Amino acid sequence: MKRNHALLIILGVLLIDQFTKIYVKTHFFYGREGAYEVFSWFKIFFIENEGAAWGTKISDILPISDKAGKLILTLFRLVAIGGIGYWLKGIIEKQAPRILIISVALIFAGAFGNIIDSLFYGLIFDDSSRDHVASLFAEDPYGSLFYGRVVDMLYFPMIDTTWPDWVPFKGGEPLRFFEPVFNIADMAISFGVGLLLVFNKKAFASLESSKQEEEED
């Protein structure tokens, strides 16, 4: 698989990811009240993620401020994407199996998409709220470089009801599946990882054989 093919995958994911994020950010109110129902099991539900996966913040784990935790997370993402990019370059040069290159390209593109939010969105958007739709290239942006929030909008509440009253501890509380809200970049990462898990042997077969040949030499 040629380098240009991997670049097309990365550019395609980035364009779709950033288009959907900018559109949602500039057309939707923040939170559940502004959700748009596509189907009963699929909604466009605009929220923003200041932390890592599932909204986790480093400041929830370490005794540091939210601002310091956000900076550490953004810097970590930059280092991680540099490592993934280096890996992708290496496997392309080694002519690794197509499935491996596609998978790593998807993971790289997804990580890059979320990095763009973290780095620049605080500089170009004003704040979103339940009664205010954000503006692009706003005069009064909500943050600064490295302190942007990741935009999420894809919500699949396949089950959206309440626990029966007779269920201990949970009776009467909301019951939702699937609860997480995510974006195109997250989907690219998940799909890339999924391909590696399903086609693990095929993806790494030629790399393992090359390593064995080097050891024999």
Side-chain angles (χ1 to χ4, degrees), residues 135-149:
S135 301
L136 181 61
F137 303 120
E139 294 182 3
D140 185 24
Y142 72 78
S144 58
L145 187 67
F146 289 97
Y147 292 99
R149 298 189 290 262

Side-chain angles (χ1 to χ4, degrees), residues 1-2 5-6 9-10 84-109 188-189 191-210:
M1 186 174 184
K2 296 181 180 180
H5 297 153
I9 293 173
I10 293 168
I84 298 169
Y86 183 78
W87 182 24
L88 179 60
K89 178 177 179 292
I91 60 177
I92 291 174
E93 291 175 349
K94 292 178 180 178
Q95 298 183 341
R98 181 185 299 267
I99 191 67
L100 178 60
I101 296 174
I102 291 173
S103 300
V104 178
L106 286 170
I107 295 169
F108 178 85
I189 294 171
F191 191 59
V193 172
L195 287 176
L196 288 180
L197 292 175
V198 174
F199 300 103
N200 183 275
K201 290 184 178 179
K202 184 176 180 180
F204 294 100
S206 64
L207 294 181
E208 290 177 358
S209 60
S210 297

